Amino acid sequence: MLEINYTLLIQIANFLVLLFALNIFLFKPIRAILQKRQEETSRLEEVIEDFRLKADKSESGLEENKILAQKEGQAEKGHLKAKGVEQEQGILKEAAASAETRITEAKKDMEGKIAEVREALEDQISRFSGELAAKILGRSV
């Protein structure tokens, strides 16, 4: 059975001293480490959330820039296409004028050559007709 005597008081005092020593050397440092860990975790969660917000802003900014760049690209494409069509029309006009000039020169050249050939043929026709008449009649004409 349990006897209540002075050793029980020594046991209680020993327990309280041990509890006090464990509190000072074990429990307080562990609670401080846990508190620091909680603070660090909270701080890191705030940093992570801040980076997430910055990433979302950057992503939306990139998307806006992409859309803006596409619009600018389409506008530039339209401008360049219009400029190309304008240049094409200018080149076609020049080509048509050049072709018209060449055709006119070719017609003049052909007319000149036809006139030369007619003159040559007219000279030959009169000579051939004289020879033909001489052969048909059998005498010179």
Side-chain angles (χ1 to χ4, degrees), residues 2 4 8 22 37 43 45 65 72 89 100 104 108 136:
L2 190 61
I4 300 179
L8 181 63
L22 285 175
R37 181 178 170 196
R43 187 185 66 78
E45 285 176 354
N65 287 342
E72 289 176 359
Q89 289 175 351
E100 187 66 33
T104 304
K108 287 180 182 178
I136 292 176

Side-chain angles (χ1 to χ4, degrees), residues 39-141:
E39 289 172 0
E40 183 69 17
T41 303
S42 297
R43 187 185 66 78
L44 289 176
E45 285 176 354
E46 289 175 4
V47 169
I48 289 170
E49 188 62 30
D50 186 42
F51 280 130
R52 279 189 186 142
L53 291 174
K54 286 180 182 179
D56 290 341
K57 286 180 184 178
S58 294
E59 186 178 342
S60 66
L62 287 174
E63 192 66 31
E64 290 174 4
N65 287 342
K66 179 183 171 186
I67 291 170
L68 181 63
Q70 285 176 341
K71 287 180 182 178
E72 289 176 359
Q74 291 294 333
E76 185 67 21
K77 179 182 173 184
H79 174 71
L80 290 175
K81 191 172 185 179
K83 189 176 179 181
V85 167
E86 187 177 302
Q87 287 178 349
E88 177 187 19
Q89 289 175 351
I91 291 170
L92 288 176
K93 284 180 183 179
E94 287 177 18
S98 174
E100 187 66 33
T101 303
R102 286 183 181 175
I103 290 172
T104 304
E105 289 175 5
K107 282 183 180 179
K108 287 180 182 178
D109 188 40
M110 290 293 285
E111 288 174 0
K113 288 182 179 180
I114 289 173
E116 290 175 12
V117 169
R118 278 194 179 154
E119 288 177 14
L121 286 177
E122 284 178 5
D123 290 339
Q124 288 180 1
I125 288 175
S126 62
R127 193 180 48 161
F128 285 139
S129 62
E131 289 177 10
L132 185 63
K135 283 187 179 180
I136 292 176
L137 296 176
R139 60 182 172 97
S140 72
V141 182

